[in-house]
C-alpha cells in the first residue's frame, strides 16, 4: 500500500477510533526505539510472518531519517542459507536485552513456545509491544498492545499499514499560539516535496 492509498484509507476512517489508536501505537513504537537507540525485533507466529510490515518499516525508516525503525525480522523457520535479512531465528529473542523493543504481530493467541520467549525477553528488560489479540496471555505480558480482534472493521494487514505509515511521520513540535502563514507554507512544502515510499 503506497502513501496515496494510506491517505485515502485515513480519509475513509476519519471520525473512527482507528486513526487515533494506530497513531498512538506508532508513536509508542517510534518513541521506544528512538529513545533506546534502536534494536527493533519483529516477530509473528509460525503461520503468520509479518514480512510485509518489516518491509514497510524499512522504507519508513529511510524516508523519515529514523534508522532505528528498521526492524530485524525474527522467523520461526529461518535457515542459515536464507538471505541475511530473512535468516534470523527465534534464538534472537533469547538474546533480547534492555534497550531493545520487541513487536509481536499475531492474528490470534501465539503458541506456548513463542509466549515463553516473549516472556523471557520481558524479564531481560526489552520493551514489548503487540498487534493482534486483545485478550489472552500475549496482551497481558506486553507493555502496549493495539487489539485487532477477528471480525473487526479492519484486518491485521490494514492496521499494519496504518501503523507503519504513522511511525514514519516526522511531526513538528507542538507550538503554542497561532501558527504564522510562513510556518504553514513551510510545512506544506515539506509534505509536497517528500519522496514517495518504495517497497521491497
Amino acid at each position: 500500500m503506497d502513501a496515496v492509498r494510506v491517505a485515502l484509507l485515513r480519509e475513509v476512517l476519519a471520525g473512527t477510533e482507528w486513526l487515533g489508536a494506530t497513531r498512538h501505537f506508532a508513536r509508542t513504537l517510534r518513541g521506544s526505539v528512538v529513545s533506546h537507540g534502536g534494536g527493533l525485533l519483529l516477530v509473528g507466529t509460525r503461520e503468520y510472518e509479518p514480512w510485509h510490515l518489516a518491509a514497510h518499516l524499512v522504507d519508513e525508516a529511510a524516508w523519515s531519517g529514523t534508522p532505528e525503525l528498521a526492524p530485524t525480522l525474527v522467523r520461526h523457520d529461518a535457515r542459515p542459507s536464507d538471505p541475511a535479512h530473512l535468516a534470523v531465528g527465534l534464538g534472537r529473542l533469547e538474546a533480547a536485552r534492555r534497550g531493545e523493543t520487541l513487536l509481536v504481530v499475531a492474528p490470534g493467541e501465539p503458541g506456548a513456545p513463542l509466549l515463553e520467549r516473549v516472556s523471557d525477553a520481558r524479564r531481560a528488560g526489552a520493551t514489548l509491544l503487540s498487534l493482534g489479540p486483545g485478550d489472552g496471555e500475549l496482551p497481558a505480558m506486553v507493555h502496549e498492545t493495539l487489539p485487532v480482534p477477528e471480525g473487526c472493521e479492519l484486518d491485521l494487514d490494514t492496521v499494519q499499514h496504518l501503523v507503519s505509515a504513522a511511525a514514519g511521520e516526522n511531526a513538528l513540535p507542538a507550538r503554542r499560539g497561532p501558527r504564522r502563514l510562513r510556518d504553514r507554507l513551510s510545512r506544506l512544502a515539506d509534505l509536497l516535496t517528500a519522496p514517495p515510499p518504495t517497497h521491497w
Side-chain angles (χ1 to χ4, degrees):
M1 187 177 295
D2 59 27
V4 172
R5 290 190 182 123
V6 169
L8 290 173
L9 178 59
R10 285 175 170 169
E11 192 173 313
V12 169
L13 294 173
T16 71
E17 296 178 1
W18 284 109
L19 289 185
T22 53
R23 281 194 165 121
H24 171 77
F25 187 85
R27 279 194 305 271
T28 301
L29 171 63
R30 182 173 172 143
S32 178
V33 298
V34 170
S35 64
H36 293 119
L40 174 58
L41 304 174
L42 177 61
V43 69
T45 64
R46 184 175 296 278
E47 299 77 24
Y48 186 91
E49 290 189 329
W51 62 267
H52 203 70
L53 176 59
H56 282 292
L57 285 171
V58 167
D59 289 343
E60 294 296 341
W63 292 120
S64 67
T66 313
E68 300 90 347
L69 279 175
T72 297
L73 179 62
V74 178
R75 301 179 62 228
H76 290 257
D77 295 318
R79 297 181 302 269
S81 60
D82 290 334
H85 68 289
L86 298 175
V88 179
L90 288 178
R92 178 62 180 86
L93 299 184
E94 296 171 7
R97 294 291 174 257
R98 182 174 306 281
E100 293 186 307
T101 301
L102 172 60
L103 173 55
V104 183
V105 181
E109 182 72 8
L114 179 57
L115 287 173
E116 185 176 321
R117 287 191 160 118
V118 170
S119 178
D120 290 344
R122 181 181 172 115
R123 280 195 297 274
T127 300
L128 272 56
L129 308 173
S130 72
L131 280 172
D135 298 308
E137 288 186 58
L138 179 62
M141 73 172 64
V142 301
H143 297 97
E144 181 88 23
T145 187
L146 178 56
V148 189
E150 286 188 45
C152 71
E153 307 87 9
L154 298 181
D155 62 19
L156 187 57
D157 289 337
T158 302
V159 171
Q160 290 175 73
H161 282 293
L162 291 169
V163 167
S164 62
E169 290 176 339
N170 286 320
L172 291 178
R175 298 178 61 94
R176 295 182 183 265
R179 291 170 60 187
R180 296 179 308 169
L181 177 60
R182 183 183 303 167
D183 295 331
R184 290 196 300 262
L185 290 175
S186 174
R187 173 73 175 140
L188 179 60
D190 289 344
L191 291 172
L192 291 175
T193 58
T198 59
H199 301 287
W200 276 5

